[in-house]
Amino acid sequence: QKEVEQNSGPLSVPEGAIASLNCTYSDRGSQSFFWYRQYSGKSPELIMFIYSNGDKEDGRFTAQLNKASQYVSLLIRDSQPSDSATYLCAVNRGGNQFYFGTGTSLTVIP
Amino acid sequence: GAVVSQHPSWVICKSGTSVKIECRSLDFQATTMFWYRQFPKQSLMLMATSNEGSKATYEQGVEKDKFLINHASLTLSTLTVTSAHPEDSSFYICSARTTRGYTFGSGTRLTVV
């Protein structure tokens, strides 16, 4: 079983819609969870991170964490064509080690 | 703040030569830097953890004699791909821990011909 699993997509949503990206992780001891956006040929850039169960909102982005279900999601409201990218979920189990999912490709259709 | 500068952005080299990639933390001190490799349409794979003033820690399956890591100061870590071969062609990215989590360098696209 992979440490972090994501649906590779591609996920397509119309402009202005809500995009929902999902991620599951295998280690119940995981402590912190990160969402990164990666444009083709570029390095990942941090969108947001979450440590506690529940929702965390930052502008158009909302991260949701459910530790009991080992599930973390990212919602993008009012999706824009510029949001088209690959979204990487990363999990930290404490210490310095990160585990990345393979990413979900999102396309926002104008 | 918390910028990691990575150079070069891309490099093409001949098979058998060595390539050095540099990562600098510009406005903070990074006692630890991480080196990742990413093949097309795949996830980032941690290669090694670089610690200032000590030997790097390599992940299983990564050849430490091939991927030389040096972390000589609190702001500079280098990865040298020695005797590069076409299968080493990949996107190499460094990362450092900051107060906001982990920030990445801009990446280096290595093509070995």
Side-chain angles (χ1 to χ4, degrees), chain B:
Chain B
V3 175
V4 175
S5 175
Q6 184 171 348
H7 294 279
S9 298
W10 59 270
V11 58
I12 301 173
C13 70
K14 289 186 177 180
S15 187
T17 61
S18 295
V19 173
K20 180 185 281 190
I21 302 169
E22 290 189 351
C23 270
R24 295 181 184 272
S25 55
L26 295 187
D27 48 5
F28 68 103
Q29 293 182 333
T31 55
T32 302
M33 278 202 186
F34 307 91
W35 288 94
Y36 294 86
R37 179 168 53 184
Q38 186 179 36
F39 293 106
K41 298 191 184 301
Q42 294 189 24
S43 185
L44 281 75
M45 297 299 297
L46 180 65
M47 298 175 65
T49 301
S50 155
N51 301 294
E52 187 268 335
S54 64
K55 291 184 179 180
T57 304
Y58 290 83
E59 296 300 301
Q60 191 173 9
V62 178
E63 299 174 59
K64 62 181 180 181
D65 294 331
K66 181 172 183 62
F67 299 100
L68 300 179
I69 289 174
N70 184 278
H71 196 149
S73 76
L74 288 171
T75 59
L76 175 64
S77 176
T78 61
L79 168 67
T80 301
V81 183
T82 63
S83 187
H85 291 284
E87 57 266 30
D88 298 323
S89 298
S90 187
F91 192 48
Y92 292 86
I93 313 172
C94 63
S95 174
R97 185 166 188 163
T98 73
T99 55
R100 285 205 71 228
Y102 292 78
T103 190
F104 288 87
S106 54
T108 298
R109 175 75 58 193
L110 171 63
T111 302
V112 185
V113 298

Side-chain angles (χ1 to χ4, degrees), chain A residues 36 38 43 96-98 100-101, chain B residues 34 38 43 59 102 104-105:
Chain A
Y36 287 86
Q38 186 176 26
S43 67
N96 287 322
Q97 192 150 27
F98 258 54
F100 283 88
Chain B
F34 307 91
Q38 186 179 36
S43 185
E59 296 300 301
Y102 292 78
F104 288 87

Side-chain angles (χ1 to χ4, degrees), chain A residues 5-27:
Chain A
E5 299 212 44
Q6 293 180 256
N7 187 328
S8 61
L11 172 67
S12 294
V13 299
E15 184 174 355
I18 296 175
S20 178
L21 304 161
N22 305 314
C23 173
T24 58
Y25 58 95
S26 62
D27 188 343

Side-chain angles (χ1 to χ4, degrees), chain A:
Chain A
Q1 183 182 12
K2 292 183 180 178
E3 294 279 350
V4 181
E5 299 212 44
Q6 293 180 256
N7 187 328
S8 61
L11 172 67
S12 294
V13 299
E15 184 174 355
I18 296 175
S20 178
L21 304 161
N22 305 314
C23 173
T24 58
Y25 58 95
S26 62
D27 188 343
R28 284 194 173 275
S30 299
Q31 298 179 2
S32 51
F33 309 85
F34 299 77
W35 282 101
Y36 287 86
R37 176 174 59 196
Q38 186 176 26
Y39 293 109
S40 181
K42 303 293 184 181
S43 67
E45 52 183 350
L46 179 67
I47 298 174
M48 61 191 306
F49 55 88
I50 186 168
Y51 298 107
S52 304
N53 272 330
D55 295 0
K56 180 181 179 182
E57 188 173 316
D58 184 357
R60 295 187 296 112
F61 299 97
T62 299
Q64 299 174 317
L65 175 61
N66 184 324
K67 289 189 176 182
S69 300
Q70 295 175 235
Y71 176 95
V72 58
S73 65
L74 179 70
L75 301 178
I76 307 174
R77 290 182 298 282
D78 188 23
S79 296
Q80 301 298 309
S82 57
D83 294 327
S84 298
T86 296
Y87 289 79
L88 300 172
C89 171
V91 173
N92 180 256
R93 298 194 300 190
N96 287 322
Q97 192 150 27
F98 258 54
Y99 294 91
F100 283 88
T102 53
T104 298
S105 175
L106 171 67
T107 300
V108 180
I109 303 167

